[in-house]
């Protein structure tokens, strides 16, 4: 495709301005016809986002101009070029440099010829001398070494080292830089499993089983939202860690369930499946547009037992008592970096304190809505003690009519995971488990005497 790099450059600038990488990528790929161009766009787009700090380290090592003095178009063009030079062996250096410089030329006005020449000069210099690049070493500074090698901000490195130590931290970082997997959750409300697998085989989809029954890891599929099973509503794209949350809550038929932060509806619709479309799920979200997204998924998947409410879970009032409450709450998202690599650069350490405060307010407002003997599953897709273990300990300390249920027995029943977990709660770490990073704690309301 002509000028593919310029389209990548524009897309990356939009991510820098706050666009979600996954949604933006989907919209851009729809405009590209050739599958090879789709693959290259995806590779460079996500590669630059994942490795931004490393790429900037390379650029800074071979440029006399500091990064902060470069035009954002030039810096992004340099990142695109350096990524190809250092990570894509099949693209000749000459082509990588030329196409990256052309991308900058197309996006900048003709009066900025000097910036284009600068881009060309820096990339040629890096190509000539790149083999002389020196990185920080472990002995000099473990934090600097991990930060540059795996391209993570220092604050995340320091936090992970404090919580998990060096070996676990390196595993988490490596896993976060892998390409995100596409997982189908089979939806039995639309067809039988043997028919589901037959249609996937018919479409030439290669897949393998995961640690959750009815969750399939797709090994070769170009457009997962364009397959027969997806269009028929028999498949929902959902990670295994996210899918585990509904299973751990263990809803039964005809129960009443409250979902405190339901969008985009993955866990809500999974709960409906587990309840066989019986009972009632009250699904909350603060945004009407996000509720519309849930509604679209509900209709496509054939879910019939969900009532949607535009409500702020911090203030939500309801005299009804529920058998189950799902509290899969907003968080800093540090467990989802593989699928949303811009999290590395968009989040700061201050967001952890903000999220922990929000999570506490939501839980405190809704604990009373649980029936005696009822269960609440708290889950997040992050790896910070303040939002996870510390928060649950605070809730239990302040509410003596709740107890922490040992989650390990349930885990054995609903998954094929074989983990040595000495805690009653569960933390899944990328690199140790082939999935996203997640935290789960199951609380039970103690029945009064």
């Amino acid at each position: 495709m002509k000028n593919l790099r310029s389209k990548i450059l524009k897309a990356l600038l939009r991510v820098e301005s706050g666009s979600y990488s996954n949604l933006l990528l989907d919209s851009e790929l729809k405009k590209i016809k050739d599958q090879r161009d789709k693959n290259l766009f995806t590779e460079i787009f996500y590669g630059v986002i994942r490795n931004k700090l490393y790429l900037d380290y390379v650029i800074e090592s071979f440029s006399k101009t500091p990064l902060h003095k470069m035009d954002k178009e030039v810096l992004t063009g340099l990142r695109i070029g350096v990524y190809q030079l250092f990570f894509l062996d099949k693209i000749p250096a000459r082509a990588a440099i030329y196409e990256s410089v052309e991308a900058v030329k197309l996006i900048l006005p003709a009066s900025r010829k000097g910036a284009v020449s600068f881009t060309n000069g820096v990339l040629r210099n890096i190509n000539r001398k790149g083999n002389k690049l020196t990185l920080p070493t472990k002995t000099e500074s473990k934090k600097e070494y991990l930060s540059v090698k795996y391209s993570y901000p220092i604050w995340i490195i320091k936090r992970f080292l404090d919580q998990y130590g060096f070996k676990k931290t390196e595993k988490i970082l490596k896993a976060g830089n892998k390409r995100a997997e596409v997982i189908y959750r089979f939806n039995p409300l639309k067809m039988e499993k043997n028919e589901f697998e037959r249609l996937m085989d018919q479409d030439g989809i290669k897949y393998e089983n995961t640690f959750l029954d009815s969750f399939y890891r797709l090994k070769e599929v170009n457009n997962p939202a364009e397959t027969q099973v997806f269009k028929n509503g028999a498949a929902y794209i959902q990670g295994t860690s996210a899918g585990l949350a509904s299973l751990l809550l263990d809803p039964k038929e005809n129960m009443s369930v409250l979902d405190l932060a339901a969008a985009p509806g993955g866990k809500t619709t999974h709960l409906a499946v587990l309840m066989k479309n019986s009972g009632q799920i009250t699904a909350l979200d603060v945004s009407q547009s996000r509720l519309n997204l849930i509604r679209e998924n509900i209709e496509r998947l054939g879910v019939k037992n969900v009532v949607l409410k535009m409500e702020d879970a911090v203030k939500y009032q309801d005299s009804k008592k529920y058998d189950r409450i799902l509290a899969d709450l907003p968080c800093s998202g540090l467990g989802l970096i593989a699928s949303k690599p811009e999290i590395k650069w968009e989040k700061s350490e201050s967001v952890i304190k903000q999220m922990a405060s929000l999570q506490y307010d939501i839980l405190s407002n809704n604990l009373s809505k649980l029936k005696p003997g009822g269960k609440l599953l708290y889950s997040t897709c992050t790896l910070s003690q303040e939002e996870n273990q510390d928060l649950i300990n605070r809730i239990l300390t302040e509410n003596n009519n709740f107890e922490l249920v040992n989650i390990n027995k349930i885990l054995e029943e609903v998954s094929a995971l074989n983990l040595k977990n000495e805690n009653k709660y569960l933390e899944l770490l990328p690199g140790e488990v082939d999935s996203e990073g997640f935290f789960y704690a199951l609380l039970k309301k103690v029945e009064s005497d």
Side-chain angles (χ1 to χ4, degrees):
M1 182 181 185
K2 192 175 180 181
N3 304 327
L4 184 69
R5 271 69 165 189
S6 68
K7 295 183 183 300
I8 297 170
L9 197 157
K10 290 176 183 177
L12 288 168
L13 290 174
R14 288 180 62 187
V15 173
E16 291 280 329
S17 299
S19 294
Y20 292 114
S21 65
N22 56 337
L23 300 180
L24 179 58
L25 180 63
D26 287 344
S27 67
E28 290 297 320
L29 292 183
K30 288 176 183 176
K31 304 172 188 175
I32 302 173
K33 293 182 180 179
D34 189 278
Q35 188 58 48
R36 290 171 300 178
D37 286 339
K38 287 177 186 279
N39 293 343
L40 184 58
F41 191 109
T42 303
E43 175 65 41
I44 296 176
F45 177 74
Y46 268 138
V48 169
I49 298 173
R50 286 192 185 101
N51 296 283
K52 186 168 78 168
L53 190 148
Y54 179 89
L55 300 175
D56 286 355
Y57 182 91
V58 174
I59 295 166
E60 212 162 25
S61 298
F62 294 98
S63 170
K64 294 178 181 178
T65 302
L67 299 181
H68 70 272
K69 289 189 176 181
M70 296 180 189
D71 293 319
K72 60 183 179 180
E73 296 87 354
V74 169
L75 179 55
T76 305
L78 287 171
R79 289 168 178 163
I80 290 171
V82 174
Y83 181 74
Q84 293 171 88
L85 291 172
F86 277 70
F87 291 89
L88 301 184
D89 296 336
K90 292 182 179 180
I91 297 180
R94 183 170 172 272
I97 294 169
Y98 175 78
E99 294 291 348
S100 302
V101 172
E102 283 296 300
V104 174
K105 185 187 294 186
L106 285 169
I107 202 170
L108 285 178
S111 60
R112 302 298 312 282
K113 287 184 179 179
V116 176
S117 298
F118 170 80
T119 306
N120 183 57
V122 172
L123 288 177
R124 289 185 179 279
N125 190 35
I126 291 171
N127 186 43
R128 287 195 307 270
K129 302 178 181 178
N131 59 349
K132 297 178 182 178
L133 179 72
T134 56
L135 300 177
T137 64
K138 288 184 197 179
T139 52
E140 291 173 334
S141 170
K142 289 181 179 178
K143 292 194 289 289
E144 292 285 346
Y145 165 79
L146 293 172
S147 176
V148 174
K149 182 174 181 179
Y150 296 105
S151 200
Y152 278 72
I154 283 288
W155 75 266
I156 294 181
I157 298 294
K158 185 177 183 303
R159 176 171 285 275
F160 285 177
L161 284 173
D162 289 344
Q163 290 181 193
Y164 305 114
F166 185 86
K167 287 185 178 180
K168 280 190 178 182
T169 293
E170 192 164 29
K171 283 184 180 180
I172 294 169
L173 302 180
K174 282 182 181 178
N177 281 344
K178 289 182 179 179
R179 296 179 188 178
E181 298 173 326
V182 179
I183 308 286
Y184 271 168
R185 187 191 84 224
F186 163 61
N187 174 28
L189 300 178
K190 283 291 186 174
M191 64 179 65
E192 298 294 326
K193 187 179 284 190
N194 58 356
E195 174 68 3
F196 175 82
E197 293 181 352
R198 186 188 71 79
L199 288 176
M200 287 209 292
D201 292 336
Q202 192 178 91
D203 278 351
I205 300 171
K206 296 188 183 301
Y207 58 87
E208 61 187 16
N209 295 324
T210 67
F211 59 79
L212 294 182
D213 185 40
S214 298
F215 281 69
Y216 297 77
R217 179 178 294 107
L218 306 190
K219 299 176 73 174
E220 289 183 27
V221 62
N222 292 323
N223 300 296
E226 296 296 323
T227 64
Q228 292 184 76
V229 290
F230 189 89
K231 288 181 175 179
N232 290 338
Y236 183 86
I237 298 172
Q238 183 178 39
T240 43
S241 291
L244 183 58
S246 301
L247 293 165
L248 292 173
L249 184 59
D250 190 29
K252 305 298 184 184
E253 291 182 48
N254 298 310
M255 278 188 168
S256 58
V257 178
L258 176 62
D259 188 346
L260 294 173
K267 297 178 184 69
T268 311
T269 54
H270 193 194
L271 291 169
V273 167
L274 298 175
M275 296 164 66
K276 298 182 180 178
N277 249 343
S278 67
Q280 181 176 300
I281 301 168
T282 302
L284 313 182
D285 203 274
V286 72
S287 161
Q288 185 59 55
S289 62
R290 288 168 64 82
L291 284 174
N292 292 341
L293 185 57
I294 303 173
R295 185 174 286 108
E296 290 174 12
N297 284 319
I298 285 172
E299 291 172 357
R300 186 178 67 84
L301 298 171
V303 169
K304 306 293 185 184
N305 64 340
V306 173
V307 175
L308 299 176
K309 291 186 178 183
M310 190 172 74
E311 295 279 358
D312 183 350
V314 174
K315 304 173 183 176
Y316 180 58
Q317 296 300 314
D318 188 349
S319 59
K320 186 174 180 179
K321 301 295 182 183
Y322 293 87
D323 299 290
R324 298 282 190 272
I325 296 178
L326 177 62
D328 181 66
L329 300 188
C331 66
S332 57
L334 299 183
L336 297 184
I337 287 174
S339 58
K340 298 178 181 177
E342 68 271 22
I343 286 172
K344 293 182 186 181
W345 320 118
E346 290 180 351
K347 299 293 172 79
S348 64
E349 198 154 21
S350 62
V351 78
I352 291 174
K353 185 176 180 180
Q354 295 168 10
M355 289 294 102
S357 177
L358 174 63
Q359 293 150 359
Y360 174 79
D361 289 344
I362 292 175
L363 286 179
S364 296
N365 182 56
N366 292 284
L367 289 174
S368 62
K369 299 178 181 64
L370 200 61
K371 291 179 181 178
K375 295 176 183 176
L376 177 149
L377 184 87
Y378 176 76
S379 64
T380 71
C381 55
T382 199
L383 307 174
S384 84
Q385 290 183 352
E386 295 95 320
E387 297 174 81
N388 295 333
Q389 295 92 332
D390 293 351
L391 179 66
I392 291 301
N393 289 337
R394 181 182 177 187
I395 289 293
L396 290 171
T397 300
E398 295 178 1
N399 298 272
N400 57 13
N401 57 334
F402 281 82
E403 63 182 15
L404 188 61
V405 178
N406 191 331
I407 219 164
N408 293 295
K409 184 177 180 182
I410 305 170
L411 183 67
E412 290 177 7
E413 295 172 353
V414 301
S415 82
L417 283 173
N418 183 20
L419 300 176
K420 293 180 180 179
N421 181 32
E422 298 176 356
N423 303 299
K424 289 185 176 181
Y425 56 77
L426 174 65
E427 186 178 44
L428 297 185
L429 300 180
E432 292 196 338
V433 173
D434 193 11
S435 192
E436 314 98 329
F438 251 77
F439 175 86
Y440 318 84
L442 188 61
L443 306 183
K444 180 178 180 181
K445 190 168 187 178
V446 180
E447 298 189 51
S448 56
D449 296 332

